[in-house]
Amino acid sequence: SNLILHGAQEVLGDDRDNIEQYSTLYLLGMVICDQNDGVRYELLGAFKIWLTTLVERLDHHFRLLPMILPCTTDPHPKIRALAIDLLTELGRFHMLDNEDLSIVTTLSTRHISLKDIIWYADDAYPDMNKISVQSTLPQPPADLAHRPSIGTRMCVADACRRWLPDCLKRLNDVEWSIPLSKMTRRHVALRCLQATIRYTENNAVQHLQSILDAMYKCVLDDDAVLQQEVLYTVELLGRFI
């Protein structure tokens, strides 16, 4: 972690996902899925330091957010809380980074349009009790009081187009095992997709076709848990579109 803070952040730029050529991100992706709760918690803490103190922190959003989002449904409550707190902090940074978008800026160049403002007005939230399929994961509270801030939602929505294609590809990945983990790459990818939908809300509609294509293939899997999570994911997506 200290090496990253002292100028070695270039190693995060090697994002090759090749089992024969272990990149730094490939190894981090393995460690964040480690079966030891302490290991996952400490790495998540390192992510928090990197994404809040590095000058180039914005360059690493699309690399590290896909590892952070699945932690919002981690079985360990401390890890879930840390992941949600980190995403909230990144949302605060996002708002500060874009605070120069004053009211005199034209709508064509504003980061947040009137359409966004109308949707993000905190006066309504989809009723998650209408989802008929229960997730096997400890999902975060889904109500207006626990809704992610607009900064967090915009932060995830801005970066997800960079990682979503790879996430959907992993849902039907042949190389599915993760060393030293109880999870498979497909389960982690599905957890990432669920969290991405929850944090992007109706912005997910622009990726609707590719998401559904991946879901159609994934639901045919023999894994009963995976099938149940696919059905939950589709219903979750339906609550926001």
Side-chain angles (χ1 to χ4, degrees), residues 17-98:
D17 186 9
N18 189 325
I19 196 168
E20 296 178 353
Q21 296 178 322
Y22 292 114
S23 67
T24 302
L25 284 184
Y26 183 89
L27 294 174
L28 290 176
M30 289 171 47
V31 176
I32 200 63
C33 297
D34 195 276
Q35 58 189 347
N36 187 295
D37 297 337
V39 172
R40 300 197 307 278
Y41 185 82
E42 290 300 323
L43 182 56
L44 197 57
F47 288 169
K48 183 173 183 178
I49 295 173
W50 299 345
L51 291 176
T52 56
T53 59
L54 286 175
V55 176
E56 305 87 351
R57 56 187 173 78
L58 295 178
D59 295 338
H60 304 303
H61 275 192
F62 80 94
R63 298 185 177 102
L64 300 183
L65 279 176
M67 303 183 202
I68 297 169
L69 285 167
C71 293
T72 60
T73 56
D74 193 277
H76 198 287
K78 286 183 63 176
I79 296 176
R80 292 200 304 272
L82 180 57
I84 294 172
D85 288 346
L86 173 53
L87 290 168
T88 301
E89 184 72 2
L90 294 181
R92 188 180 69 83
F93 273 94
H94 186 84
M95 295 298 287
L96 292 173
D97 291 338
N98 294 280

Side-chain angles (χ1 to χ4, degrees), residues 11-241:
V11 299
L12 296 177
D14 184 4
D15 52 6
R16 293 171 298 171
D17 186 9
N18 189 325
I19 196 168
E20 296 178 353
Q21 296 178 322
Y22 292 114
S23 67
T24 302
L25 284 184
Y26 183 89
L27 294 174
L28 290 176
M30 289 171 47
V31 176
I32 200 63
C33 297
D34 195 276
Q35 58 189 347
N36 187 295
D37 297 337
V39 172
R40 300 197 307 278
Y41 185 82
E42 290 300 323
L43 182 56
L44 197 57
F47 288 169
K48 183 173 183 178
I49 295 173
W50 299 345
L51 291 176
T52 56
T53 59
L54 286 175
V55 176
E56 305 87 351
R57 56 187 173 78
L58 295 178
D59 295 338
H60 304 303
H61 275 192
F62 80 94
R63 298 185 177 102
L64 300 183
L65 279 176
M67 303 183 202
I68 297 169
L69 285 167
C71 293
T72 60
T73 56
D74 193 277
H76 198 287
K78 286 183 63 176
I79 296 176
R80 292 200 304 272
L82 180 57
I84 294 172
D85 288 346
L86 173 53
L87 290 168
T88 301
E89 184 72 2
L90 294 181
R92 188 180 69 83
F93 273 94
H94 186 84
M95 295 298 287
L96 292 173
D97 291 338
N98 294 280
E99 65 180 354
D100 60 331
L101 297 172
S102 63
I103 193 64
V104 297
T105 308
T106 62
L107 287 179
S108 61
T109 58
R110 284 181 67 87
H111 187 68
I112 301 174
S113 68
L114 287 178
K115 182 178 179 181
D116 295 322
I117 295 172
I118 291 172
W119 168 258
Y120 288 115
D122 292 337
D123 57 1
Y125 195 79
D127 185 1
M128 296 301 172
N129 292 323
K130 293 184 178 180
I131 296 181
S132 61
V133 181
Q134 295 298 315
S135 173
T136 60
L137 301 169
Q139 301 291 337
D143 53 48
L144 187 59
H146 296 89
R147 189 183 194 184
S149 69
I150 183 173
T152 301
R153 300 196 300 269
M154 295 301 293
C155 176
V156 176
D158 282 353
C160 77
R161 62 177 61 91
R162 299 283 300 274
W163 79 67
L164 196 56
D166 184 61
C167 175
L168 298 177
K169 178 182 176 183
R170 292 185 184 208
L171 286 175
N172 299 283
D173 206 338
V174 175
E175 179 54 49
W176 56 271
S177 62
I178 302 176
L180 303 178
S181 176
K182 298 177 181 179
M183 297 178 287
T184 69
R185 288 162 65 95
R186 290 180 294 177
H187 286 102
V188 174
L190 197 52
R191 288 172 58 184
C192 181
L193 177 59
Q194 290 174 356
T196 300
I197 293 171
R198 188 176 298 106
Y199 276 89
T200 58
E201 299 188 352
N202 71 336
N203 273 311
V205 72
Q206 60 186 301
H207 310 290
L208 183 60
Q209 188 60 56
S210 56
I211 291 175
L212 291 179
D213 287 345
M215 294 291 97
Y216 291 146
K217 297 177 183 178
C218 200
V219 77
L220 299 176
D221 196 277
D222 295 332
D223 188 328
V225 173
L226 195 68
Q227 289 180 351
Q228 183 172 345
E229 288 302 318
V230 167
L231 296 176
Y232 172 82
T233 304
V234 172
E235 291 209 31
L236 177 66
L237 179 61
R239 301 310 301 158
F240 292 113
I241 60 175

